[in-house]
Amino acid sequence: MVTPRRDNEVKARVLAEQLMRINRASYADGRYEVAYHVLGAALHCAEELVDLEMAVAVQQRAESQQAELDSRVPPHPLSTEGAARRGTHALFSSLGRTANSARARIKAQLAQSHARSVRHRHLPSSEIP
């Protein structure tokens, strides 16, 4: 029997995979704004799942899509050049930094979880905080 928690995890993972596919397709079609937003949504799934690999994948995708956009369509509003004209930062680059921060948070969560499980295995239950 699948537990509700496991079912939610499976649904979040399927959603994240769909979002990554939508990102790739919308980016390839030149729908950069859509690509940016669905990539951000995929990052939310990575955080919900505490999935380090997915956070890294989002970061890498954001960085590569920014670089490609900058080289192929420099005047586009989401390019680094376009953002500079508006006095702001390029969105895919910002998302890459956000994904990097999420990656660090997830890594810390996983380390804390591991430390707790080690303590539970090695300390008598009366000594566990």
Side-chain angles (χ1 to χ4, degrees):
M1 184 172 130
V2 177
T3 65
R5 184 177 181 164
R6 176 71 179 138
D7 188 47
N8 281 338
E9 181 181 329
V10 168
K11 287 178 181 179
R13 198 161 297 286
V14 167
L15 177 59
E17 290 168 7
Q18 291 170 337
L19 290 166
M20 293 297 276
R21 281 194 303 273
I22 293 167
N23 163 267
R24 185 179 302 110
S26 56
Y27 189 90
D29 286 343
R31 292 179 171 87
Y32 305 119
E33 292 83 354
V34 172
Y36 163 77
H37 286 287
V38 296
L39 192 56
L43 180 58
H44 285 290
C45 289
E47 290 182 295
E48 178 185 332
L49 292 164
V50 192
D51 188 324
L52 188 59
E53 272 185 48
M54 190 180 303
V56 169
V58 169
Q59 178 183 355
Q60 291 171 341
R61 174 96 45 104
E63 291 169 351
S64 71
Q65 287 181 341
Q66 186 69 64
E68 185 178 333
L69 181 61
D70 289 348
S71 70
R72 287 182 45 203
V73 196
H76 191 280
L78 295 190
S79 72
T80 301
E81 180 184 307
R85 279 194 313 274
R86 291 187 318 279
T88 187
H89 300 282
L91 289 180
F92 283 103
S93 292
S94 294
L95 181 56
R97 288 189 297 275
T98 300
N100 184 49
S101 295
R103 181 194 54 75
R105 283 191 304 276
I106 290 168
K107 196 171 182 178
Q109 270 183 272
L110 292 171
Q112 287 175 336
S113 223
H114 176 72
R116 273 194 298 277
S117 80
V118 168
R119 273 197 309 265
H120 283 287
R121 283 195 310 259
H122 296 291
L123 292 176
S125 60
S126 62
E127 293 182 35
I128 298 173

